[in-house]
Amino acid sequence: MPVGTPIHRLMIDPYIAVVAGALATCNIPLAFLEPTIANWMKESMGASEWEVGLTWLPAFFPHVLGVYVTVRLAAAYPHLQWFYGALGMAIIGASSCLVPACRNFWQVIIPLCGICFGIALVDTALLPTLAFLVDVRHVSVYGSVYAIADISYCVAYALGPVVAGQIVHTMGFVQLNLGMGLANVLYAPVLIFLKNVCQMKPSHSERNILLEEGPKGLYDTIKMEERRGVGKSLRPGGDTEENGTDSYRRDLTEVSEEDSSDYEYS
């Protein structure tokens, strides 16, 4: 099995750091609202117990819709993954700012649905980007990079009950939501840094790996045997004439081009 890149090296990769920051920032509104919105609804709009209990249920459906929409868009336009994430963060920021303006249960459902829809856009667009970054910039072992993604989520949800309650107590619920919305809106342009990720190519081509490390699997072994067989069949005999030498050189050129097309990434 290949040895994966150490997690501390992945953390200092600027592209992975940008994705991890986006995952943490987009989940902050959800993590901060869950422990605080119930008390706010009771105090500001006199919400009943069933209204407080069902606050997050309608947001499930836009979240599923956001995943579906992002998957379809990514299949059609895979080079715009960063844009889907930035759009999701903009939607989260705008929805967070609208929460304090709501005056009843039915109004507060709308921005909460917007927050969950935006989180679905960001997660579905950026999590595959992490795997692609590992493929092109590191070793294709994904445990460590997805551990970084889980750490990003955990940071947001660990700070939620502690920090959110303190902010509401000292500054107010309105300031909490405006701060979360502003953080998401300001972070959205940072994802432009990922704009050229889809154009990256692997740092070590498959051809170089086969030549340097030798075959490690059935496919690699077959390709190596084919290369050896082609090399043996192209060895010139002792009575080769000038035309035969030219033909031999042409064959070598063709084999070289064939190898390049077989092993280099497009």
Side-chain angles (χ1 to χ4, degrees), residues 1-241:
M1 294 294 293
V3 179
T5 305
I7 191 170
H8 67 273
R9 288 184 55 192
L10 295 176
M11 285 183 172
I12 63 177
D13 187 307
Y15 295 97
I16 294 177
V18 168
V19 176
L23 293 176
T25 305
C26 77
N27 281 278
I28 283 177
L30 185 60
F32 281 33
L33 283 176
E34 283 182 349
T36 58
I37 195 171
N39 289 334
W40 175 77
M41 290 178 64
K42 290 180 179 180
E43 294 174 0
S44 64
M45 60 183 69
S48 60
E49 294 294 333
W50 74 266
E51 290 177 333
V52 172
L54 294 178
T55 301
W56 294 100
L57 179 61
F60 166 78
F61 301 100
H63 185 85
V64 175
L65 177 63
V67 173
Y68 176 77
V69 169
T70 309
V71 169
R72 296 299 298 268
L73 289 175
Y77 309 100
H79 60 287
L80 294 178
Q81 296 277 72
W82 66 273
F83 176 74
Y84 308 143
L87 178 62
M89 298 195 76
I91 294 174
I92 294 171
S95 300
S96 298
C97 295
L98 290 177
V99 171
C102 300
R103 292 293 176 264
N104 57 60
F105 170 75
W106 302 107
Q107 290 179 359
V108 80
I109 287 177
I110 297 175
L112 295 183
C113 288
I115 291 174
C116 290
F117 181 80
I119 291 175
L121 289 179
V122 178
D123 289 350
T124 311
L126 296 187
L127 285 177
T129 304
L130 285 176
F132 183 76
L133 287 170
V134 171
D135 284 336
V136 298
R137 294 174 60 84
H138 304 280
V139 182
S140 297
V141 178
Y142 309 103
S144 296
V145 76
Y146 281 116
I148 294 175
D150 288 340
I151 291 172
S152 303
Y153 297 138
C154 291
V155 167
Y157 285 97
L159 294 178
V162 179
V163 178
Q166 184 65 26
I167 294 176
V168 171
H169 180 70
T170 58
M171 302 177 63
F173 186 79
V174 176
Q175 286 73 13
L176 172 68
N177 283 267
L178 293 179
M180 296 186 302
L182 184 62
N184 277 271
V185 171
L186 292 179
Y187 199 96
V190 179
L191 295 182
I192 298 177
F193 187 65
L194 305 174
K195 184 176 182 180
N196 296 324
V197 164
C198 62
Q199 301 175 2
M200 292 182 180
K201 295 184 179 181
S203 56
H204 298 287
S205 68
E206 182 184 356
R207 180 172 182 268
N208 291 335
I209 293 175
L210 291 178
L211 291 176
E212 294 173 3
E213 301 181 3
K216 292 185 177 180
L218 179 60
Y219 171 78
D220 297 347
T221 304
I222 292 174
K223 300 304 291 185
M224 290 292 289
E225 292 297 331
E226 289 179 355
R227 291 165 58 84
R228 293 171 183 168
V230 171
K232 291 179 180 179
S233 64
L234 293 179
R235 291 179 182 174
D239 56 347
T240 306
E241 300 294 336

